[in-house]
Structures are given as C-alpha cells and as structure tokens.
Amino acid sequence: QVQLVESGGGLVQAGGSLKISCAASGHTFSTRVMGWFRQAPGKEREFVAAISRSGANTYYGDSVKGRFTISRDNAKSTVYLQMNSLKAEDTAVYSCAARGSMLAASTRAAEYNYWGQGTQVTVSS
C-alpha cells in the first residue's frame, strides 16, 4: 500500500506562484510514476502533470504547459508541483497519484492506483 499526503495548497492572487507537495509512504516511491490531477467544482478531473520514476521525463497538460513544473525527490519520497503565473481557472482541488510499480507514465487518471486526499488551490482574480 502507498499513502499519499498533499500539502501546500492555499489562496494566491492571479499572477502569483505556489508550490505544493505530496509525500509518499513506503519504500517503493522510486519505482512509481507520479502524477498530479485537479478537479474544479462541476468539472471533470483533469490531468496536470506526470513525472517518470527517475525524474528525467515530465509530461504536462496543455492548460498548464510552460507555467507549471513537476519534480520529485526520491530520497524524500516526495513529488512537487511548482505553479507560476496562476490564473483564476487554475482554482481546483489538486491531488497527487501514483501508478503501479514499474509502469510507464500515463495521463489517464484511471491508470493510477493510489491517490492522496487532495489540497485546495484557490486563485483570486
């Protein structure tokens, strides 16, 4: 089992920056692709970013490309999402997710096995 705990969400003004974190339990973090997804009220869950097991490869949703950066620290079993140039439409609950061990990266939420409880990010315009 993998437990994921997000932190760092909050209220930020449009144009500002915020960095959220996701700490994983267990000893298999480095074997798992990690992803960030978000869901705004009344909208479907949306892929934000994913990162390969080593961190060498990253993937982004079109709406955040060039503004958000995903990274990971395998020694700390933590994945991060740096969000810059935030917009009101970035307001959502952001959740981190882990794929099964040794599986490839994916943008599909259904292919992630473990999920955190989510952290609220609110961008005021």
Side-chain angles (χ1 to χ4, degrees):
Q1 279 282 14
V2 177
Q3 291 186 327
L4 304 173
V5 180
E6 299 96 338
S7 61
L11 175 65
V12 62
Q13 288 189 332
S17 298
L18 195 65
K19 187 174 185 177
I20 56 178
S21 304
C22 172
S25 67
H27 303 287
T28 61
F29 181 78
S30 62
T31 70
R32 302 181 184 277
V33 164
M34 298 297 297
W36 284 99
F37 293 80
R38 67 185 183 186
Q39 188 165 22
K43 295 189 177 181
E44 292 187 355
R45 182 177 286 169
E46 177 187 12
F47 169 73
V48 175
I51 188 166
S52 63
R53 295 184 294 272
S54 68
N57 297 301
T58 56
Y59 312 84
Y60 296 96
D62 288 341
S63 62
V64 306
K65 206 169 291 184
R67 299 187 298 122
F68 290 12
T69 302
I70 187 172
S71 61
R72 67 189 296 162
D73 185 336
N74 285 345
K76 295 182 178 180
S77 297
T78 301
V79 61
Y80 306 95
L81 186 67
Q82 175 69 48
M83 303 180 288
N84 298 330
S85 302
L86 282 161
K87 306 174 182 179
E89 50 263 44
D90 293 318
T91 295
V93 174
Y94 284 72
S95 299
C96 69
R99 287 217 71 194
S101 186
M102 301 308 291
L103 296 180
S106 173
T107 63
R108 298 179 60 196
E111 295 185 350
Y112 286 77
N113 299 78
Y114 303 98
W115 291 82
Q117 83 288 349
T119 186
Q120 176 70 46
V121 172
T122 302
V123 184
S124 63
S125 56

